[in-house]
Amino acid sequence: MDENPIFEQLKREALYAQRSFSTELLYQTYGKAQMARQLEVLTQSEFMEINHMTVYFMNTDKEYIRNCNRNFREGKALT
């Protein structure tokens, strides 16, 4: 079975956003996944995997949350 190239690209973007702890990039990737799902380019399970890598990640990853809290205390804007 051929891999969906859009899905693979979104996974790469989500991983990059996770590594950079970039809230903006995580939300952008999630938005792209929403659009791709509406256009039926992604299956429901592919969309849910991207959701898990973006929104769920922001809400549960301890290192990401620590980084956001540290930036907040230092007065840095969310990136």
Side-chain angles (χ1 to χ4, degrees), residues 23-37:
T23 302
E24 184 176 339
L25 290 176
L26 287 162
Y27 277 124
Q28 285 178 5
T29 304
Y30 177 74
K32 290 177 185 180
Q34 281 184 308
M35 189 178 302
R37 179 66 186 134

Side-chain angles (χ1 to χ4, degrees), residues 40-70:
E40 299 181 358
V41 177
L42 294 180
T43 65
Q44 180 66 26
S45 64
E46 290 171 334
F47 173 75
M48 291 308 294
E49 186 171 338
I50 300 298
N51 177 66
H52 187 66
M53 295 174 74
T54 55
V55 176
Y56 183 81
F57 173 83
M58 287 187 281
N59 291 323
T60 61
D61 186 80
K62 290 178 182 168
E63 186 61 31
Y64 172 82
I65 293 168
R66 269 195 293 272
N67 186 61
C68 288
N69 289 338
R70 182 175 42 250

Side-chain angles (χ1 to χ4, degrees), residues 3-22 25-26 28-30 32-33 42 46 49-50 53-54:
E3 290 293 323
N4 180 344
I6 303 296
F7 176 59
E8 294 302 317
Q9 177 63 32
L10 288 170
K11 284 195 329 187
R12 282 191 296 274
E13 290 180 25
L15 288 171
Y16 176 79
Q18 286 177 352
R19 287 191 304 270
S20 63
F21 296 123
S22 174
L25 290 176
L26 287 162
Q28 285 178 5
T29 304
Y30 177 74
K32 290 177 185 180
L42 294 180
E46 290 171 334
E49 186 171 338
I50 300 298
M53 295 174 74
T54 55

